[in-house]
């Protein structure tokens, strides 16, 4: 299902661990953004990253730096710090999507289903975002019991961003 | 049995390949003089005064370097604008009565309540003058886009144009918009942006398994990605269309909008015709149509050029579809069969040339005729000349394909002396870069071939 040519940007929260995984992701799409997770061998990934796609500002961070892990309020603080509309974090290996006044926090979960520091019970999942103007449709792909299940979430932004370089 | 001798009419010195300037000049000056002086009954409400369409930014043939370019540029300029500042033709004198009468005849015919198509064809096959938007209307009539009855014109046009608009809306939407539309119709959109300010975002079901990575045959996303290849191809070809013409190439706003129009037409065509899709070369067939319609001095017509070109393009292509279908290449309707017919035609009319060309020098007609036939001679002559050839192609009652074959045969016959003297390389080179010729000449010869009974 993941073939080259369909995806324009890849945002990865980290813990790819080895370079081969980065190369694989590069074949899917040349525009790759990665932040550093605690097990990454590649030391040159940044801790956090922001980018602007369309009308949305996206922030990226692995999440092990935010304590308590996976806590919404702390993540919201990080989001305000980075001043982004959508914050993408990981580390918990659980898919979640929260909305609060500052914006949206998405945790795409673990793409491989690897055991996390917290739990063994992990379903592989990833997320596709279709950004169109002020609207984002988030498609959630999960592998549950050997089958790919797809859900979607709609999210609209109320005000337009002034375009800024990232 | 074929003719062993060259027929006498063919042997006359008239059939030299050097174009004679006079005929051309007279034609242009006459039509320009006509539009300026007499109060010609115009089918458009606007007076025939110079209404320069913005497309007439420059003459299209800036690359022609032969000494004959002087008058040729004059021709192109004339076809661009309906004004009479034919300074390049200042040297011309005298006005051919034929041309005036032809223009007058056409205009009379066009202003009738019910256009007599046979009569129109007869006059148009001699050539359509370049001014006053006549060509645009005549082509539309010849291609069956406009019905002969003038009363029906406005309703027909409105209908067709709205049809095209609908096609565009349906087919040029990207999947995001489509999913949004589907959602709106099926699920009641709850506005949760105002209600819950924080908390878990609600997940909803994906309708019809439609997601961007879907591999389903009927998935709009899958089709979108498959189509994007074709769209890229169309984009590339459109950019390469007539790079020497300001109308099509360059970064001006006008050129960009023209290219976008071409692109949209071709994409809609490709989507509506999954059997044939888009094949390289279709852009070349579309370009003259769009050019002529877009340069119609009537503003309303020019504004709707895209929709009109679409339907005329479909109509024109319908006779030649089989040439573009790869599977039909070797069948008896495909391009190879047509090329064989051309070959036969040549054999019937000029066996000596045929024998020399195909047997002695082994120039396989596919090497040159393929482009001649599939692209309807748009690549062999300069733009203005190809418009004149198309006048004949479209107006001939025998149909464009038959006429095309005759014209191709005439092209070969006109250079017979050089061909007979040449070998494989020089002949191929000559035919693949056909020398500029007198088009009226060429069409006259082609016409003669018709009346010659093939034995």
């Amino acid at each position: 299902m993941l073939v080259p040519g369909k995806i324009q940007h890849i945002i990865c929260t980290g813990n790819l661990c080895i370079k081969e995984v980065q190369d694989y992701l590069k074949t899917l799409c040349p525009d790759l953004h990665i932040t550093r997770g605690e097990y990454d061998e590649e030391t040159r990934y940044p801790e956090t990253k922001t980018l602007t796609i369309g009308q949305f500002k996206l922030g990226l961070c692995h999440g092990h730096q935010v304590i308590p892990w996976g806590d919404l309020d702390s993540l919201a603080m990080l989001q305000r710090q980075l001043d982004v509309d959508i914050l993408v974090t990981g580390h918990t290996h659980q898919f979640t999507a929260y909305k609060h006044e500052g914006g949206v926090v998405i945790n795409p979960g673990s793409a491989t289903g690897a055991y996390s520091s917290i739990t063994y019970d992990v379903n592989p999942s990833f997320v596709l975002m279709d950004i169109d103007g002020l609207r984002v449709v988030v498609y959630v792909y999960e592998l549950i019991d050997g089958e790919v299940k797809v859900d979607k979430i709609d999210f609209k932004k109320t005000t337009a961003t002034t375009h800024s370089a990232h | 049995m074929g003719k062993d001798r060259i027929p006498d009419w063919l042997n006359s010195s008239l059939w030299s390949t050097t174009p004679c300037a006079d005929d051309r000049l007279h034609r242009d000056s006459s039509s320009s003089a006509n539009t300026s002086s007499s109060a010609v009954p115009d089918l458009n409400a606007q007076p025939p005064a110079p209404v320069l369409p913005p497309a007439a930014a420059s003459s299209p043939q800036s690359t022609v370097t032969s000494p004959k370019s002087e008058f040729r540029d004059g021709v192109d300029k004339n076809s661009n604008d309906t004004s009479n500042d034919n300074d390049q033709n200042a040297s011309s004198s005298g006005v051919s009565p034929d041309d005036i009468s032809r223009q007058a005849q056409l205009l009379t015919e066009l202003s009738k309540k019910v256009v007599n198509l046979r009569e129109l064809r007869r006059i148009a096959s001699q050539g359509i003058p370049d001014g006053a938007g006549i060509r645009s209307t005549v082509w539309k009539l010849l291609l069956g886009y406009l019905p002969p009855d003038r009363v029906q014109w406005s309703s027909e046009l409105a209908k067709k144009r709205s049809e095209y608009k609908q096609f565009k809306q349906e087919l040029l939407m990207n999947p995001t918009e489509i999913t949004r539309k589907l959602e709106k119709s099926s699920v009641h959109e709850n506005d949760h942006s105002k209600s819950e300010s924080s908390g878990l975002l609600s997940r909803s079901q994906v309708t019809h398994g439609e997601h961007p990575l879907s591999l389903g045959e009927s998935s709009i996303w899958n089709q979108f990605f498959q189509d994007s290849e074709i769209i890229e191809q169309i984009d590339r070809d459109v950019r390469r269309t007539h790079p020497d013409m300001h109308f099509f190439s360059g970064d001006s706003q006008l050129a960009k909008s023209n290219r976008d129009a071409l692109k949209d037409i071709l994409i809609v065509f490709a989507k509506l015709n999954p059997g044939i899709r888009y094949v390289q070369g279709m852009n070349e067939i579309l370009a003259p149509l769009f050019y002529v319609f877009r340069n119609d001095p009537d503003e309303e017509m020019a504004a709707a050029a895209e929709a009109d070109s679409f339907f005329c393009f479909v109509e024109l292509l319908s006779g030649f579809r089989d040439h573009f279908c790869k599977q039909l290449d070797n069948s008896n309707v495909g391009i190879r069969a047509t090329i064989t017919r051309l070959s036969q035609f040549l054999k019937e009319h000029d066996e000596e040339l045929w024998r020399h060309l195909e047997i002695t020098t082994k120039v396989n007609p596919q090497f040159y005729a393929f482009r001649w036939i599939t692209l309807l001679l748009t690549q062999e002559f300069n733009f203005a000349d190809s418009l004149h050839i198309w006048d004949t192609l479209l107006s001939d009652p025998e149909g464009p394909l038959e006429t095309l074959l005759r014209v191709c045969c005439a092209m070969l016959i006109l250079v017979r002396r050089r061909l007979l003297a040449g070998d494989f390389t020089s002949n191929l080179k000559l035919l693949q870069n056909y020398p500029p010729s007198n088009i009226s000449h060429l069409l006259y010869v082609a016409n003669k071939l018709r009346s010659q009974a093939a034995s």
Side-chain angles (χ1 to χ4, degrees), chain A residues 1-2 5-6 95 97-101 126 128 130 132 135 139 141-142 150-154 156, chain B residues 176 180 183 189 192 197-207 210-215 221-222 225:
Chain A
M1 213 170 42
L2 278 175
K6 296 194 178 179
F95 168 78
Y98 287 120
K99 180 177 162 44
H100 63 95
E101 300 128 31
F126 68 92
L128 262 192
D130 181 9
D132 180 36
R135 225 180 95 132
Y139 294 92
Y141 293 80
E142 276 170 314
V150 189
D151 281 332
K152 80 173 167 200
I153 301 175
D154 245 306
K156 226 186 304 236
Chain B
T176 326
R180 200 174 312 169
E183 259 173 64
E189 203 182 349
H192 55 129
S197 56
S198 64
L200 274 173
L201 278 172
S202 53
R203 295 162 69 146
S204 54
Q205 275 275 300
V206 165
T207 47
E210 278 294 355
H211 55 91
L213 297 178
S214 158
L215 293 170
W221 285 96
N222 203 13
F225 287 119

Side-chain angles (χ1 to χ4, degrees), chain B residues 142-361:
Chain B
L142 293 175
L143 283 168
Y145 181 57
L146 285 174
D149 189 0
R150 287 201 78 172
V151 171
Q152 297 176 348
W153 280 13
S154 48
S155 60
E156 265 298 306
L157 286 176
K159 193 173 77 166
K160 285 281 165 70
R161 284 162 188 178
S162 79
E163 217 181 298
Y164 179 69
K165 195 160 153 210
Q166 218 181 353
F167 283 151
K168 271 181 83 164
Q169 271 178 348
E170 280 173 19
L171 298 170
L172 295 184
M173 256 197 313
N174 66 37
T176 326
E177 293 164 3
I178 299 179
T179 36
R180 200 174 312 169
K181 269 194 140 172
L182 284 172
E183 259 173 64
K184 278 213 177 102
S185 56
S186 59
V187 177
H188 168 60
E189 203 182 349
N190 41 357
D191 189 10
H192 55 129
S193 58
K194 292 205 190 92
S195 49
E196 33 174 320
S197 56
S198 64
L200 274 173
L201 278 172
S202 53
R203 295 162 69 146
S204 54
Q205 275 275 300
V206 165
T207 47
H208 310 292
E210 278 294 355
H211 55 91
L213 297 178
S214 158
L215 293 170
E217 272 297 312
S218 58
S219 155
I220 48 170
W221 285 96
N222 203 13
Q223 284 175 358
F224 171 72
F225 287 119
Q226 281 176 353
D227 289 339
S228 54
E229 281 182 47
I230 298 183
I231 294 179
E232 264 173 55
Q233 171 77 339
I234 293 178
D235 189 46
R236 274 197 294 266
D237 283 350
V238 162
R239 269 181 228 258
R240 294 190 285 206
T241 311
H242 293 295
D244 49 334
M245 289 178 70
H246 277 223
F247 184 82
F248 289 114
S249 89
D251 285 326
S252 68
Q253 185 69 345
L254 178 78
K256 282 207 180 115
S257 72
N258 288 338
R259 284 202 297 268
D260 284 340
L262 286 184
K263 209 168 122 180
D264 284 343
I265 294 175
L266 291 169
I267 295 176
V268 171
F269 180 80
K271 291 204 174 181
L272 286 177
N273 295 280
I276 181 175
R277 293 295 212 162
Y278 172 75
V279 179
Q280 273 191 304
M282 288 185 181
N283 59 316
E284 297 294 341
I285 299 189
L286 177 59
L289 287 173
F290 184 71
Y291 178 86
V292 167
F293 295 160
R294 191 79 178 85
N295 285 331
D296 196 327
D298 180 328
E299 277 179 17
E300 192 213 327
M301 289 291 207
E306 193 181 327
D308 296 343
S309 320
F310 171 75
F311 287 104
C312 292
F313 172 68
V314 172
E315 184 57 41
L316 179 58
L317 206 63
S318 64
F320 298 97
R321 275 178 88 108
D322 297 333
H323 291 166
F324 287 94
C325 191
K326 230 177 162 181
Q327 284 98 322
L328 290 175
D329 269 354
N330 291 323
S331 75
N332 58 355
V333 291
I335 184 65
R336 288 227 177 101
T338 313
I339 293 180
T340 317
R341 278 186 65 197
L342 173 64
S343 184
Q344 277 301 105
F345 209 70
L346 179 67
K347 186 174 174 194
E348 283 163 8
H349 288 275
D350 192 346
E351 175 152 2
E352 185 191 348
L353 179 60
W354 174 83
R355 194 178 300 281
H356 179 83
L357 210 48
E358 292 200 20
I359 303 192
T360 320
T361 53

